[in-house]
Amino acid sequence: MSMAVVGLITGMALGFAGYFGGFGAFLLVAALGAVGFVAGRFADGDLDPGDFFGTRGRSGRR
Protein backbone atom coordinates (compact mmCIF):
# COMPACT_ATOMS: atom_id res chain seq x y z
CA MET A 1 0.00 0.00 0.00
CA SER A 2 1.44 3.36 -0.97
CA MET A 3 2.12 6.07 1.58
CA ALA A 4 -0.42 8.32 -0.16
CA VAL A 5 -3.20 5.80 0.51
CA VAL A 6 -2.08 5.36 4.12
CA GLY A 7 -2.11 9.14 4.55
CA LEU A 8 -5.55 9.37 2.99
CA ILE A 9 -6.97 6.71 5.31
CA THR A 10 -5.33 8.30 8.35
CA GLY A 11 -6.66 11.73 7.45
CA MET A 12 -10.16 10.39 6.93
CA ALA A 13 -10.09 8.56 10.28
CA LEU A 14 -8.93 11.71 12.08
CA GLY A 15 -11.54 13.78 10.27
CA PHE A 16 -14.37 11.43 11.24
CA ALA A 17 -13.15 11.28 14.84
CA GLY A 18 -12.96 15.06 15.03
CA TYR A 19 -16.36 15.59 13.46
CA PHE A 20 -18.33 12.97 15.35
CA GLY A 21 -16.41 12.74 18.63
CA GLY A 22 -14.95 16.18 19.15
CA PHE A 23 -11.42 17.25 19.89
CA GLY A 24 -10.85 14.59 22.58
CA ALA A 25 -11.66 11.79 20.15
CA PHE A 26 -9.41 13.44 17.56
CA LEU A 27 -6.48 13.41 19.99
CA LEU A 28 -7.19 9.81 21.02
CA VAL A 29 -7.25 8.60 17.42
CA ALA A 30 -4.07 10.54 16.63
CA ALA A 31 -2.24 9.11 19.67
CA LEU A 32 -3.34 5.54 18.95
CA GLY A 33 -2.36 5.99 15.32
CA ALA A 34 1.13 7.07 16.37
CA VAL A 35 1.44 4.05 18.67
CA GLY A 36 0.29 1.77 15.86
CA PHE A 37 2.78 3.36 13.48
CA VAL A 38 5.68 2.76 15.86
CA ALA A 39 4.51 -0.81 16.53
CA GLY A 40 4.36 -1.43 12.79
CA ARG A 41 7.88 -0.09 12.32
CA PHE A 42 9.08 -2.47 15.06
CA ALA A 43 7.28 -5.37 13.36
CA ASP A 44 8.85 -4.52 9.99
CA GLY A 45 12.29 -4.40 11.60
CA ASP A 46 12.88 -0.73 10.76
CA LEU A 47 13.31 0.23 14.43
CA ASP A 48 15.09 -1.40 17.34
CA PRO A 49 13.82 -1.16 20.93
CA GLY A 50 17.25 0.19 21.84
CA ASP A 51 16.48 3.30 19.80
CA PHE A 52 13.97 4.29 22.46
CA PHE A 53 15.04 2.45 25.60
CA GLY A 54 18.81 2.14 25.19
CA THR A 55 21.64 3.91 26.87
CA ARG A 56 22.34 7.59 26.46
CA GLY A 57 25.04 7.29 23.83
CA ARG A 58 25.70 5.02 20.91
CA SER A 59 29.12 4.10 22.30
CA GLY A 60 27.63 2.25 25.26
CA ARG A 61 29.30 4.52 27.84
CA ARG A 62 27.41 6.60 30.37
Side-chain angles (χ1 to χ4, degrees), residues 14-61:
L14 289 172
F16 280 122
Y19 182 75
F20 290 111
F23 188 67
F26 173 82
L27 290 178
L28 179 65
V29 170
L32 291 176
V35 169
F37 175 75
V38 171
R41 297 293 299 252
F42 277 128
D44 285 343
D46 293 336
L47 290 176
D48 288 331
D51 293 341
F52 290 105
F53 306 115
T55 60
R56 290 175 137 182
R58 294 269 180 193
S59 64
R61 296 184 330 194

